[in-house]
Amino acid sequence: MLVTLKELLEDAQKKKYAIGSFNLHNMEMLPSFFEAAKETKTPISIQISNGTAKYIGLDLIVSMTRTLAERENVKVALHLDHNSDLDFIKKAVDAGFTSVMFDGAHLPLEENIRLTKDIVQYAHKQGVSVEAEVGAIGGTEDGVSVEHSNHTDPEEAAYFYKETNVDALAVSFGSAHGQYRSKAALDFDVLHKIYEAVDAPLVLHGGTGVSYDDIGVLIENGISKINIGTILNVTYIEKGKETFSESSLDNSLRNLLIPCNDKVKEIIKEKIYHFNNNRALAN
Ligand code: 13P
């Protein structure tokens, strides 16, 4: 069943775990997301970058995801990841996404608030959740780079949340998008101050670079959603290089992609296990 991110985050906050939000990079890998969620009996969020949204199309993404959610009987939020194009975000709401992110982190605070409020008003009217970002998370994702990261100021975050009433707040305290060769040095002091100042479910971006040893502290300090993108893409390419280089030309393409999809499922299951404080949860 497609559900809102808000519904998933409420459950995560109550039971003290973090929802894994996984970036879809192509259509082929989508069924593995559902297999992982089903086998771990855990709800997930599937997030769509601007690049993936343009590549597959909003309508097709919604219909594929809805079909699989119903067929597999899994609770899933369909979330539009980082986007700052108001018209496109509204199209995603109209198309049937159950959650959208307005990313105004690069804007002056008041402008970020003004545009976020516009999206909140539009999305909430249709029962769709909204995530926004305060402070800038650095790194590169899907070809989009943010060079200067900027830790979230706890007071600014509290003010932003009070003004916008978003359902989830992405905050910056040391993680970076696209970090897959090393681990992030997180500033737990900053996170703790944000947690004390803001009542919102907090979101960690750049989850690929986060060490499993840090997950418990993150959850204790309000992180309710962890975004994972790069590791799925990197692993898919790594496995694909292997299967493609070993294959003859008359092999079905399908046979070369199934092992890549299986790898994605394995990684999502592993992440879910750690985000759930080392346990599988019942739906
Ligand atoms: P990674 O690509 O570093 O896993 O981060 C994903 C993300 O934060 C998407 O918003």
Side-chain angles (χ1 to χ4, degrees):
M1 182 186 11
L2 278 190
V3 297
T4 62
L5 183 64
K6 183 182 165 76
E7 177 179 331
L8 296 189
L9 294 178
E10 276 168 4
D11 190 62
Q13 281 191 309
K14 203 162 61 190
K15 298 184 187 150
K16 286 270 167 210
Y17 68 101
I19 287 289
S21 194
F22 301 97
N23 282 96
L24 184 73
H25 296 274
N26 64 12
M27 285 187 259
E28 300 295 324
M29 63 170 68
L30 186 61
S32 352
F33 285 43
F34 284 88
E35 286 162 23
K38 195 171 175 147
E39 287 173 24
T40 53
K41 296 189 169 54
T42 303
I44 58 168
S45 159
I46 296 175
Q47 55 187 20
I48 308 297
S49 68
N50 196 34
T52 297
K54 299 264 159 72
Y55 172 58
I56 303 177
L58 294 171
D59 53 351
L60 187 51
I61 291 169
V62 171
S63 55
M64 286 190 307
T65 310
R66 191 178 282 145
T67 300
L68 280 162
E70 276 159 24
R71 189 212 286 165
E72 302 300 335
N73 195 23
V74 165
K75 273 190 184 177
V76 168
L78 179 58
H79 175 75
L80 185 71
D81 200 11
H82 297 274
N83 214 298
S84 45
D85 177 341
L86 298 188
D87 290 340
F88 193 73
I89 297 173
K90 289 175 185 174
K91 276 191 190 138
V93 171
D94 295 342
F97 276 61
T98 59
S99 177
V100 290
M101 175 179 188
F102 172 71
D103 181 357
H106 54 290
L107 300 170
L109 185 66
E110 290 301 334
E111 184 68 351
N112 190 2
I113 290 174
R114 190 178 70 76
L115 298 178
T116 301
K117 276 165 96 167
D118 179 333
I119 292 297
V120 167
Q121 202 183 26
Y122 192 87
H124 280 184
K125 230 187 269 165
Q126 301 193 49
V128 171
S129 307
V130 178
E131 176 181 332
E133 181 173 324
V134 191
I137 300 158
T140 301
E141 186 190 7
D142 212 354
V144 180
S145 294
V146 175
E147 285 185 14
H148 300 292
S149 66
N150 178 16
H151 282 11
T152 301
D153 178 289
E155 277 177 26
E156 243 177 51
Y159 172 62
F160 184 93
Y161 180 55
K162 188 165 80 51
E163 290 294 307
T164 59
N165 190 30
V166 288
D167 304 287
L169 192 61
V171 290
S172 172
F173 55 99
S175 65
H177 291 112
Q179 184 173 6
Y180 68 96
R181 291 200 173 91
S182 58
K183 290 295 166 202
L186 300 176
D187 191 332
F188 290 110
D189 197 37
V190 169
L191 175 63
H192 187 67
K193 286 186 179 135
I194 297 169
Y195 177 52
E196 296 214 303
V198 192
D199 216 12
L202 303 177
V203 180
L204 182 141
H205 284 244
T208 293
V210 169
S211 160
Y212 288 143
D213 294 341
D214 290 340
I215 302 293
V217 191
L218 291 170
I219 294 171
E220 271 167 36
N221 285 282
I223 296 293
S224 305
K225 170 174 177 266
I226 300 180
N227 288 4
I228 300 288
T230 300
I231 187 68
L232 305 179
N233 199 51
V234 166
T235 309
Y236 209 91
I237 294 173
E238 261 172 10
K239 192 68 193 170
K241 276 185 167 177
E242 209 179 290
T243 58
F244 275 71
S245 70
E246 285 166 2
S247 173
S248 60
L249 291 177
D250 58 357
N251 195 353
S252 165
L253 192 51
R254 186 181 61 244
N255 295 328
L256 311 187
L257 296 181
I258 289 171
C260 306
N261 297 331
D262 290 344
K263 275 276 172 198
V264 160
K265 170 172 143 185
E266 230 175 79
I267 293 168
I268 294 181
K269 283 178 74 172
E270 182 183 306
K271 298 288 173 197
I272 288 175
Y273 175 77
H274 288 278
F275 297 170
N276 282 354
N277 280 326
N278 307 338
R279 62 179 193 271
L281 295 172
N283 258 330

